[in-house]
Amino acid sequence: MRVHELGHLVLYVRDLDRSRHFYREVLGWDEVRGDVPLPVPAAAFSSGRTHHELLLIEVGPSAAPMPPGRRVGMYHFGLKVGESDEELREVVRHLDRHGVPVLGASDHTVTHSLYIADPDGHEIELYVDVLPRDQWLADPSLIFAPIRPLRL
């Protein structure tokens, strides 16, 4: 067996309409629409690479919150948002217009990354690749280079 790619991610959310708005209107992800009734309130999103990359399932306002700090479970997921630092600067301006705070910014050598949270607190890395694929394939240690503050 060999994994070919990460196919999709499924997140539990408290309020589907609120999360649908965030992923569709703030992040600009296309929602996959269908006329099939679902057994639970849910919404799917795709960049066009595959049938869906993100599925949101509503669990309601009484769901337990994610515990803060170090814990077992997902830390964050990454979304590629462009090819250059100028595009990343535009992302910062876009997030500011939508009132979404940037929680962190890192230079990972192979990527430049911003960190935000969705309405339920799921951390999201928004990144651009800054090194060509052939460079990090030739020297995989670049992937684990020390993380530096990002200066846009």
Side-chain angles (χ1 to χ4, degrees), residues 70-82:
R70 295 177 57 93
R71 63 188 178 277
V72 172
M74 186 179 73
Y75 172 26
H76 69 261
F77 63 94
L79 301 172
K80 185 173 180 178
V81 295

Side-chain angles (χ1 to χ4, degrees), residues 19-108:
S19 294
R20 179 183 266 140
H21 171 81
F22 179 83
Y23 284 98
R24 189 177 55 216
E25 305 302 326
V26 177
L27 295 187
W29 224 337
D30 292 329
E31 186 172 355
V32 178
R33 297 285 188 155
D35 293 331
V36 178
L38 300 173
V40 296
F45 297 84
S46 177
S47 68
R49 182 186 60 81
T50 187
H51 40 78
H52 75 286
E53 290 139 321
L54 176 68
L55 179 67
L56 305 176
I57 298 174
E58 185 176 70
V59 292
S62 64
M66 287 185 287
R70 295 177 57 93
R71 63 188 178 277
V72 172
M74 186 179 73
Y75 172 26
H76 69 261
F77 63 94
L79 301 172
K80 185 173 180 178
V81 295
E83 303 289 335
S84 69
D85 280 347
E86 183 50 43
E87 288 173 290
L88 206 53
R89 283 188 280 275
E90 177 52 39
V91 167
V92 171
R93 291 187 288 271
H94 175 81
L95 294 170
D96 188 53
R97 285 191 299 272
H98 286 275
V100 177
V102 173
L103 305 175
S106 298
D107 177 344
H108 293 282

Side-chain angles (χ1 to χ4, degrees), residues 120-136:
D120 288 290
H122 300 106
E123 189 172 314
I124 304 167
E125 176 183 2
L126 304 173
Y127 72 92
V128 296
D129 288 326
V130 293
L131 280 187
R133 184 177 195 268
D134 60 336
Q135 283 187 8
W136 54 261

